[in-house]
Amino acid sequence: MNAPDSEAGKGLKVLETGPDAAGQRLDQWLSAALGADFSRNRVQALIKLGAVQIGGKPVTEAKRKMAAGENVSVDMPEPEPAEPRGENIPLDILYEDAELIVINKPAGLVVHPGAGNWTGTLVNALIHHCGDSLSGIGGVRRPGIVHRLDKQTSGVMVAAKTDLAHRALSEAFADHGASGDLERAYSALVWGIPPRMTGTVDAPLGRAADRVRRAVVPEARDDARHAITHFTVREKFGEGRPDTAQASLVECRLETGRTHQIRVHTAHIGHPVIGDPDYGQAFRTKANRLPEPLKTLVKSFPRQALHAGLLAFRHPATHILMKFEAPLPGDMQELVRGFRNP
């Protein structure tokens, strides 16, 4: 393996493969060539982003076999911080003690640092608020985090402040409350009115074609993960009116906790979450046929209308059953009022 032979510009690193590269996977070779700061996972992410070129052409297959004498250029990202730093970001704290903290997360707040969001996250806020008590709890990138909500989903979250709390809460979330008292309920404003007031969606989830989204997949697929969502219709809007004005406020309770589970499952049964940019695209034109001012309200709603309204768990130290609720945030309340009185 040869050292970088030039720096073709800011952030661009150019390398040439030596005889030892022949037959190696691109991600394997490139991770070794770039050094300890670039793990194989990080290199794979760069490849997927199109940041790696061989012979002047982008390569997006991490498993591509290398040959000697190839020119490989990498559009290097800005250096990542070694670990998150505390930032004075306001927190809506519902409860706090020496073991844990419960917050009402606003929509728009990313839970932990990652690609494109190395600052301004809930983790940065927790480090500032909790100080050294979070050090080492749950890993460098995700100190204290035992579960997550999507960036644009609001609602109740708990974070651990000690190893004891982190272990106990992580176990509770890992088995989704099957062996304990974990309870989670979400409010979702969805398009249309389900035919039944209560129901269950039992459909395995796996990666979609773009590898970021999730989709209902055959159970036999290698990446299929068991997923069950129970729903109850709490309020119906627009019964007897044109279909475009119909919507429902639905409570969803999770028996499993897969990525995007509620959003995928509601879309799967034909009632996607209003405002969902990933799973509700087929329903976007419905807003065009709504009466004003509801039409403008729906079209300008900046996120999926999903809120984690209830979280209950047994305290890891006292073993007392604790229950926390957060009302619908203002933007969802306004949307509900709009459908009540279109």
Side-chain angles (χ1 to χ4, degrees), residues 188-194 233-237 245-250 271 274 339:
L189 188 62
V190 303
W191 285 111
I193 299 174
V233 178
R234 295 300 183 193
E235 191 171 354
K236 297 185 284 188
F237 310 109
Q246 291 184 348
S248 303
L249 185 62
V250 176
H271 301 285
I274 292 174
F339 273 99

Side-chain angles (χ1 to χ4, degrees), residues 98-101 123 126 133-147 158-174 313-317:
E99 298 288 336
L100 54 85
I101 182 171
V123 161
L126 289 173
S133 66
L134 278 187
S135 179
I137 306 300
V140 173
R141 293 283 185 214
R142 300 177 47 149
I145 301 301
V146 296
H147 70 123
V158 59
K161 295 171 67 176
T162 66
D163 283 320
L164 168 70
H166 193 271
R167 285 195 302 270
L169 290 170
S170 294
E171 288 172 3
F173 279 95
F313 56 88
R314 198 163 289 280
H315 193 283

Side-chain angles (χ1 to χ4, degrees), residues 74-110:
V74 185
D75 189 2
M76 302 290 286
E78 292 295 320
E80 298 172 8
E83 60 184 66
R85 296 182 179 180
E87 296 177 42
N88 188 11
I89 300 169
L91 291 172
D92 182 2
I93 299 172
L94 304 180
Y95 174 83
E96 183 177 12
D97 62 22
E99 298 288 336
L100 54 85
I101 182 171
V102 180
I103 63 110
N104 181 17
K105 186 188 88 69
L109 181 64
V110 175

